[in-house]
Amino acid sequence: MKFLVCISNVPDTTTKITFTPDNKEFNKAGVQFVINPWDEYALTRAIELKEAQGGGTVTVLNVGEADTEPNIRKALAIGADDAIRVNAAPTDAFFVAQQIASVAKEGGYDVILMGKESIDYNGFQVHGMVGEMLGIPTVAPAMKLDMSGTTATLEREIEGGKEIVEVNTPFVASCQQPMCEPRIPNMRGIMTARTKPLKVVQPTSDAARTEVAEYALPPKKQGVKLIPAESAGELIKLLRNEAKVI
Amino acid sequence: MSVLVVVECDGGEVKKSSLEVASYGSQVAQLLGTTATAVAVGEATEASLAALGEQGITKVLYDAEPRLKDFVNGAYTKLIAAAAQQEDAKVLVLANSNIGAAVGSRLSVRLQASLATNVVELPKVDGGAFTVKRGAFSGKALADVKLSGDRKIIAVKKNSIEALHEAGKTAQVESFSAQLTDADFADAPKQVVMQDQAGGVLLPEADKVVSGGRGMKGPENWNLIEDLAKALGAATACSKPVSDVDWRPHHEHVGQTGITVSPNLYIACGISGAIQHLAGVNSSKVIVVINKDPEAPFFKAADYGIVGDVFDVLPKLTQAVKELG
Ligand SMILES: Cc1cc2nc3c(=O)[nH]c(=O)nc-3n(C[C@H](O)[C@H](O)[C@H](O)COP(=O)(O)OP(=O)(O)OC[C@H]3O[C@@H](n4cnc5c(N)ncnc54)[C@H](O)[C@@H]3O)c2cc1C
């Protein structure tokens, strides 16, 4: 079975967010980039399923410029077999989805996995766009994924519960916890990753449908009002009479 | 031309987040000089749909096909696309929920529309430009995003828009059929498992949340969290390490890699306030922090705080809520 795992390159979760002086772009200076944490579930689960099937391939795909290659190599070190980088800055979800759909179509992948959303743009859009472009089902967000032959059984999170869904390959799933325990690279993985194939391709289209006009930081809090522990009940009165939330 | 809103229903009622979506849609319609129609999905009663008039909706389309009671990605997408065609919808508004994300993303391709999710304010419409404000960087930033093309889809973040209530106004409910076939139900769920909701309040829909971290010491102490939540009518939540060690179920994990909540009130008990936790909760309107360490970073993000022991403070708070009556 051929797995395609889409990863995005995002600022580390501890990053303090700042912008370029015109507020149009995220300021990358000094920032550590990581594989999007949600994508790690997709990657690890694909590797586990491949191992369980005793054959097949896991290809990682990233739409990004050359500076994303360290994290692509990291995905190879975790256990992917080969990688494709579409050489372009990921301008918006629609643009990225088109690149993924065209790679997926050309490569004839059976299972296309990605994280629920990227922690920078938080779009939660790409999965459905890719599914629709390819005319195949999407399951989002998936908390569990098992395969038996060409049939997949997934648990899909819904507000207040879950649905058990069965789909046949090919399909797209966007992954989240507790699907698996994300793996970290070991020494052997890091060594072999250096020689695994990483193919760079050009984007097939440059159409985007949205554009960020300006970024801003959320409004700052006024500062905390402390209530002594002895008179904790006072807090409840403040929440009713001052903050008016209860 | 019109604005079409997707309202999600459950157990006969329109979900709270969908009342916000309907209110958003009717205000966008007003901005554009048109009217707002709703298409309802899930289990709804005619009375609850007619009451969407209070949110400014003039007409509601409803397909009573029983298999639409549970979420089916294929069928929902086709139904909403058909409604959008019939109504010549230029703007489609839905909730930034798991259903909204699953169908909104497919619809954006099918209807050739631009899509913005996680939207927190009404759009600015200025000549040809249509700009929305959305959350980005997991709650650490906001972005003004320009949507191009003549069709737009907007997914509205929960609890960021005040629902309208114009008492007495009703919407006209019309039956609607998208000619769905068995093939549209190919990805229908085999089974739906609902969680056992202790206090009866769903975390993603809650407007008050009581959350516990590692400072609660163990699952056996969660009755303190649950008692306060129950007294307040709040949902319960937890930090990541708490769900990682199974003190609490995964669906209660909030933060950057859990769910994002933006209730009116978030009470954090024994949670340090790591940046990844804050990312999921910092758009809450009022944040209360209870922590025995006065240096805990969470106090910097809080509106109210108590430096103290949760085991001492929580029962006092629960008692004080009960005394409010
Ligand atoms: C990639 C990544 C993603 C992450 N995503 C998330 C996420 O989505 N959500 C999340 O929550 N975390 C996330 N984390 C983890 C995060 O960094 C913190 O480790 C976590 O939030 C800490 O949880 P905590 O506050 O419950 O525990 P701790 O940091 O251990 O804090 C416990 C707090 O309880 C207080 N305390 C102890 N006893 C008492 C008492 N008796 N009374 C009052 N206070 C007491 C202590 O003073 C302390 O402040 C992520 C980390 C990484 C690396």
Side-chain angles (χ1 to χ4, degrees):
Chain A
M1 193 154 284
K2 291 180 72 175
F3 293 89
L4 181 67
V5 178
C6 311
I7 62 170
S8 71
N9 192 57
V10 298
D12 171 33
T13 57
T14 58
T15 307
K16 197 163 171 283
I17 304 297
T18 60
F19 304 105
T20 51
D22 62 0
N23 285 327
K24 281 194 184 300
E25 276 173 62
F26 170 65
N27 179 10
K28 290 184 178 180
V31 171
Q32 169 88 26
F33 279 79
V34 296
I35 299 174
N36 180 41
W38 302 99
D39 299 343
E40 292 183 343
Y41 293 100
L43 176 61
T44 299
R45 190 65 191 138
I47 296 166
E48 287 174 357
L49 288 169
K50 181 195 112 169
E51 287 169 356
Q53 290 167 1
T57 53
V58 175
T59 301
V60 287
L61 169 61
N62 169 257
V63 180
E65 292 173 311
D67 59 350
T68 69
E69 288 197 4
N71 281 324
I72 299 179
R73 288 280 171 213
K74 186 177 171 200
L76 292 170
I78 290 170
D81 299 290
D82 60 345
I84 301 170
R85 180 170 68 81
V86 178
N87 186 28
T91 45
D92 82 341
F94 180 71
F95 173 79
V96 171
Q98 289 172 99
Q99 313 312 323
I100 295 172
S102 90
V103 168
K105 201 179 275 172
E106 196 171 307
Y109 294 92
D110 304 293
V111 179
I112 302 166
L113 300 181
M114 59 189 77
K116 171 185 165 178
E117 64 181 18
S118 66
I119 62 166
D120 51 359
Y121 197 71
N122 308 109
F124 194 12
Q125 306 176 353
V126 172
H127 55 91
M129 291 179 175
V130 171
E132 186 72 19
M133 286 167 185
L134 296 173
I136 61 177
T138 33
V139 182
M143 304 189 286
K144 208 171 165 204
L145 164 61
D146 289 307
M147 301 280 313
S148 161
T150 55
T151 304
T153 306
L154 300 107
E155 282 184 14
R156 170 179 191 284
E157 184 180 58
I158 51 174
E159 276 79 6
K162 61 188 176 190
E163 290 182 350
I164 317 294
V165 185
E166 252 176 44
V167 291
N168 290 323
T169 58
F171 67 91
V172 181
S174 72
C175 308
Q176 68 169 48
Q177 81 287 359
M179 183 171 279
C180 57
E181 193 54 53
R183 291 187 189 176
I184 51 171
N186 59 26
M187 210 49 215
R188 214 186 128 243
I190 294 167
M191 301 304 287
T192 53
R194 290 189 192 149
T195 53
K196 286 180 179 172
L198 192 171
K199 189 165 87 180
V200 178
V201 301
Q202 294 308 316
T204 48
S205 126
D206 61 1
R209 289 182 178 165
T210 64
E211 184 198 335
V212 175
E214 190 174 21
Y215 282 109
L217 295 176
K220 277 222 161 44
K221 289 276 181 191
Q222 298 292 319
V224 59
K225 189 176 222 172
L226 290 176
I227 294 101
E230 306 78 69
S231 45
E234 281 305 307
L235 169 69
I236 298 301
K237 290 191 190 130
L238 287 168
L239 292 178
R240 166 151 300 178
N241 302 323
E242 187 178 82
K244 300 191 166 47
V245 287
I246 60 174
Chain B
M1 159 177 119
S2 76
V3 170
L4 183 69
V5 308
V6 179
V7 297
E8 299 175 24
C9 305
D10 192 18
E13 297 298 319
V14 177
K15 289 186 190 171
K16 175 176 169 276
S17 51
S18 285
L19 297 178
E20 296 164 6
V21 164
S23 306
Y24 189 102
S26 67
Q27 291 175 81
V28 174
Q30 214 162 37
L31 273 176
L32 301 177
T34 179
T35 55
T37 299
V39 54
V41 293
E43 195 180 11
T45 60
E46 183 155 351
S48 65
L49 296 180
L52 283 164
E54 298 190 4
Q55 282 75 47
I57 300 296
T58 47
K59 182 168 80 178
V60 184
L61 307 176
Y62 186 56
D63 186 338
E65 153 73 54
R67 288 179 294 178
L68 287 168
K69 186 169 136 312
D70 292 321
F71 174 64
V72 185
N73 209 340
Y76 275 36
T77 307
K78 187 166 167 189
L79 175 81
I80 298 162
Q85 301 287 9
Q86 177 185 300
E87 298 298 313
D88 187 23
K90 294 291 183 236
V91 180
L92 181 67
V93 188
L94 26 76
N96 199 61
S97 60
N98 286 344
I99 292 178
V103 295
S105 52
R106 292 197 79 108
L107 285 167
S108 71
V109 172
R110 198 169 303 183
L111 302 173
Q112 297 181 319
S114 52
L115 169 64
T117 52
N118 218 8
V119 170
V120 296
E121 271 178 21
L122 287 171
K124 290 201 175 63
V125 185
D126 182 8
F130 193 103
T131 312
V132 292
K133 196 179 280 300
R134 66 185 300 278
F137 293 97
S138 305
K140 294 180 200 167
L142 293 162
D144 286 334
V145 178
K146 279 196 213 144
L147 302 185
S148 63
D150 47 72
R151 276 187 174 160
K152 282 121 189 148
I153 303 180
I154 299 173
V156 181
K157 185 174 172 186
K158 286 170 193 173
N159 217 29
S160 46
I161 297 293
E162 195 81 48
L164 304 171
H165 285 286
E166 295 180 48
K169 282 179 77 179
T170 55
Q172 182 191 335
V173 181
E174 286 180 10
S175 71
F176 177 73
S177 166
Q179 321 287 330
L180 298 172
T181 63
D182 284 350
D184 301 316
F185 290 92
D187 58 343
K190 298 280 168 258
Q191 197 191 344
V192 179
V193 186
M194 295 312 283
Q195 292 143 18
D196 180 22
Q197 286 301 315
V201 184
L202 279 182
L203 179 57
E205 292 277 315
D207 61 8
K208 298 182 210 82
V209 176
V210 183
S211 187
R214 258 202 313 229
M216 292 303 299
K217 304 282 191 291
E220 65 282 6
N221 300 321
W222 238 262
N223 60 319
L224 296 175
I225 299 275
E226 279 163 358
D227 289 348
L228 178 59
K230 206 161 172 191
L232 285 168
T236 54
C238 68
S239 67
K240 181 172 187 284
V242 164
S243 66
D244 282 349
V245 296
D246 284 334
W247 290 359
R248 299 297 291 175
H250 272 284
H251 60 79
E252 284 200 358
H253 155 200
V254 294
Q256 188 144 18
T257 50
I259 63 170
T260 306
V261 293
S262 49
N264 292 331
L265 175 63
Y266 184 81
I267 304 183
C269 313
I271 303 177
S272 58
I275 191 163
Q276 298 95 348
H277 185 84
L278 293 180
V281 305
N282 64 4
S283 57
S284 307
K285 301 225 162 67
V286 173
I287 294 180
V288 174
V289 170
I290 306 160
N291 196 305
K292 67 176 184 187
D293 174 9
E295 301 296 321
F298 220 146
F299 284 116
K300 288 203 179 69
D303 298 285
Y304 297 95
I306 297 180
V307 179
D309 188 324
V310 283
F311 297 97
D312 162 49
V313 171
L314 278 172
K316 284 188 187 154
L317 295 181
T318 305
Q319 187 57 32
V321 174
K322 286 183 177 155
E323 282 165 12
L324 275 183

